Amino acid sequence: MVFRIVSFSILISSLFSVLCFGTVIFDAGHGSPDGGASGNYGSLEKDITLKLALSAQEIAVFLGIPTRLTRDSDESIYSQDAQTIRQKKVSDLRNRLLIAEATSQPVFVSIHTNAAADRISGLQVFYAPSESSDQLSLVMTEWFSRYLPKQRIRQPAKAPDHVYLTKHLRCPAIIVEYGFITNPQEEILLSDPTYQFRLAFLSLCGICQYMNEKGA
Ligand SMILES: [Zn+2]
């Protein structure tokens, strides 16, 4: 109950600033034919990321926060002229960047699940090389740390230089790896609609707080 009251009061108090500030882009990672990573129980990253993005958008719409999705269906968003798998992947990423560039004052949140050969677990936010992205990653991580088991939260880190979107985006931009789909326990959690809603809600709390502080 306390969680709900505190979260809602921050969200509502942030709302006015948010309306003045910009648009949140929820970028559901991957999309057919690119399934992303997969779990032992058969979950695919592309399906979980889409559900998280749709959940986040639903909450944002309810609160009146302007949002865009880079994809709202199973398909990735490569252009018609892309033929090979590689061309489709490159085109898909470029089109995601173009969406951000065509949006006024965007805040870009790329949604992914992590993968590893062993059973490591944890949620981690990666930020683009800019102060605003770094700040956004810290605020988001604080929200996750506050309401999810501490051992499940990793420290934010700068996205590796070769990551296309965080390398090219000029707006506040983060990649949230919401957990390891390769860890059986986390795969079950990530596939659970209640947990998905919780992750989406906490993400919005973080975004609202960031926007509120930015707009202040
Ligand atoms: Zn991914």
Side-chain angles (χ1 to χ4, degrees):
M1 182 55 89
V2 172
F3 165 72
R4 283 191 195 156
I5 292 168
V6 172
S7 304
F8 261 97
S9 64
I10 289 179
L11 278 171
I12 299 304
S13 69
S14 301
L15 192 52
F16 188 74
S17 312
V18 170
L19 287 172
C20 299
F21 183 84
T23 300
V24 185
I25 300 177
F26 291 109
D27 172 51
H30 311 277
S32 290
D34 169 19
S38 58
N40 292 344
Y41 299 118
S43 309
L44 293 176
E45 183 179 2
K46 72 173 172 72
D47 298 326
I48 291 170
T49 59
L50 181 59
K51 282 179 183 156
L52 285 169
L54 290 171
S55 266
Q57 189 192 40
E58 202 178 315
I59 300 165
V61 167
F62 175 73
L63 293 167
I65 299 167
T67 57
R68 280 187 85 169
L69 298 180
T70 53
R71 71 177 174 101
D72 60 5
S73 76
D74 181 53
E75 301 292 313
S76 63
I77 55 167
Y78 57 85
S79 303
Q80 295 267 317
D81 57 350
Q83 300 295 322
T84 65
I85 292 286
R86 167 141 185 83
Q87 286 169 347
K88 285 178 181 174
K89 185 69 191 166
V90 170
S91 168
D92 172 67
L93 288 172
R94 194 179 298 135
N95 287 338
R96 290 170 198 249
L97 179 66
L98 290 176
I99 288 172
E101 288 176 349
T103 301
S104 171
Q105 291 185 290
V107 171
F108 197 92
V109 179
S110 195
I111 299 171
H112 287 261
T113 64
N114 222 333
D118 54 21
R119 293 203 159 199
I120 58 172
S121 63
L123 180 159
Q124 190 166 23
V125 183
F126 293 88
Y127 53 90
S130 69
E131 203 184 317
S132 58
S133 303
D134 185 2
Q135 195 185 338
L136 175 59
S137 76
L138 287 171
V139 175
M140 290 280 276
T141 302
E142 269 172 35
W143 276 94
F144 294 131
S145 303
R146 216 171 288 165
Y147 295 108
L148 296 174
K150 286 260 183 300
Q151 71 274 16
R152 202 173 290 149
I153 311 301
R154 291 163 173 265
Q155 284 302 304
K158 188 169 151 299
D161 293 341
H162 65 270
V163 176
Y164 180 85
L165 285 174
T166 42
K167 181 177 176 182
H168 290 93
L169 283 164
R170 292 291 164 260
C171 60
I174 53 172
I175 298 168
V176 186
E177 298 279 2
Y178 280 94
F180 280 78
I181 196 171
T182 44
N183 177 293
Q185 270 182 318
E186 283 203 324
E187 181 187 2
I188 291 169
L189 271 177
L190 289 165
S191 306
D192 173 10
T194 307
Y195 188 70
Q196 289 169 356
F197 182 87
R198 200 170 167 82
L199 292 176
F201 184 76
L202 290 171
S203 302
L204 272 159
C205 291
I207 293 162
C208 284
Q209 186 183 335
Y210 166 80
M211 285 178 150
N212 200 22
E213 288 171 2
K214 248 341 217 199

